[in-house]
Amino acid sequence: MQYHEVQLLATAANEDQWPDSSLPEIIFAGRSNAGKSSLINALINRRNAAYVGKTPGKTVLLNFYEVDHQVVFTDSPGYGYAKGGTMSVKNFAALLDPYFDHRKNLKGMILVLDIRRIPNSDDLEMLSFARQSDLPALAACVKADKLSRNQQINALKNIRNATGLLPEQEIAVSSTSKTGIEEVWNIISHMI
Ligand code: GDP
């Protein structure tokens, strides 16, 4: 098991606060509770890392984490459920539009999906950010440990049908048993 060095570079509400880094960047996106924090933790393989995961309240921020001095993981706010209402991806447009439009070192998107759920309009909206910016996207279909192998195959097919992603753009992942984590790292290496 490889350990990774992680450093929080910046917490940004707007473009002025983006870190001055030229490392390749990967944005992580997903519905609240899909399993984004768990996936990032499984990728960096540290429990007590600089990685924070959830920002409290309704703060809408991008968190930039440098990993091994090689890549920056940009953590975007979980969408969908929020205390007191729902937060659609559209609510994050002020945060995401400039990032997808201007961030030159952005190399790809990891969309975290619960493998058991059909992607909704927010997930599709998030994917469209990647498509509009010509960025490669990978669906990390987490919680695969909750399904049998056959159920996983079906679920991946349903996710492809809903998103138009190709088989090579989705991976069944379990952040708890670490299945698929190595493959996600492989894809990230290709993106950067
Ligand atoms: P986030 O809101 O997207 O950051 O979601 P979290 O990472 O906090 O995960 C939400 C819940 O799902 C937590 O209770 C996690 O322990 C659980 N979870 C996340 N990934 C997995 C997984 O791959 N397998 C299982 N069994 N549970 C998971």
Side-chain angles (χ1 to χ4, degrees), residues 8-186:
L8 177 63
L9 292 183
T11 286
N14 55 53
E15 196 164 338
D16 297 345
Q17 296 165 340
W18 293 350
D20 185 15
S21 154
S22 53
L23 290 174
E25 252 164 56
I26 301 292
I27 183 156
F28 285 75
R31 233 187 279 188
S32 293
N33 240 30
K36 183 161 56 71
S37 316
S38 304
L39 174 68
I40 295 175
N41 273 316
L43 286 168
I44 61 185
N45 194 28
R46 293 184 62 168
R47 277 182 194 288
N48 57 349
Y51 176 64
V52 187
K54 283 167 196 167
T55 34
K58 291 186 195 158
T59 338
V60 173
L61 299 165
L62 292 176
N63 285 306
F64 295 79
Y65 297 93
E66 185 183 292
V67 182
D68 298 332
H69 309 289
Q70 284 183 352
V71 58
V72 172
F73 288 177
T74 306
D75 190 17
S76 68
Y79 48 82
Y81 174 80
K83 266 211 175 86
T86 53
M87 264 292 207
S88 85
V89 172
K90 284 193 174 71
N91 293 108
F92 303 148
L95 184 79
L96 296 177
D97 280 336
Y99 182 73
F100 281 94
D101 286 350
H102 306 157
R103 193 65 171 164
K104 295 207 168 55
N105 31 342
L106 179 58
K107 300 293 181 201
M109 174 192 283
I110 309 288
L111 181 67
V112 182
L113 300 173
D114 182 328
I115 193 168
R116 301 165 300 173
R117 300 180 70 167
I118 298 291
N120 67 8
S121 57
D122 277 325
D123 297 316
L124 299 181
E125 185 101 17
M126 191 47 87
L127 263 183
S128 73
F129 274 102
R131 290 201 173 109
Q132 279 159 24
S133 304
D134 259 326
L135 279 179
L138 172 76
C141 306
V142 301
K143 308 189 186 177
D145 54 282
K146 298 202 181 246
L147 299 182
S148 71
R149 186 65 203 140
N150 274 336
Q151 290 173 322
Q152 287 178 28
I153 290 166
N154 265 325
L156 290 174
K157 194 166 85 192
N158 291 337
I159 289 171
R160 284 202 300 280
N161 287 340
T163 57
L165 290 170
L166 302 169
E168 59 269 28
Q169 290 177 292
E170 55 176 19
I171 295 178
V173 174
S174 167
S175 302
T176 42
S177 76
K178 308 284 194 277
T179 314
I181 294 297
E182 205 61 49
E183 285 98 317
V184 175
W185 260 123
N186 271 337

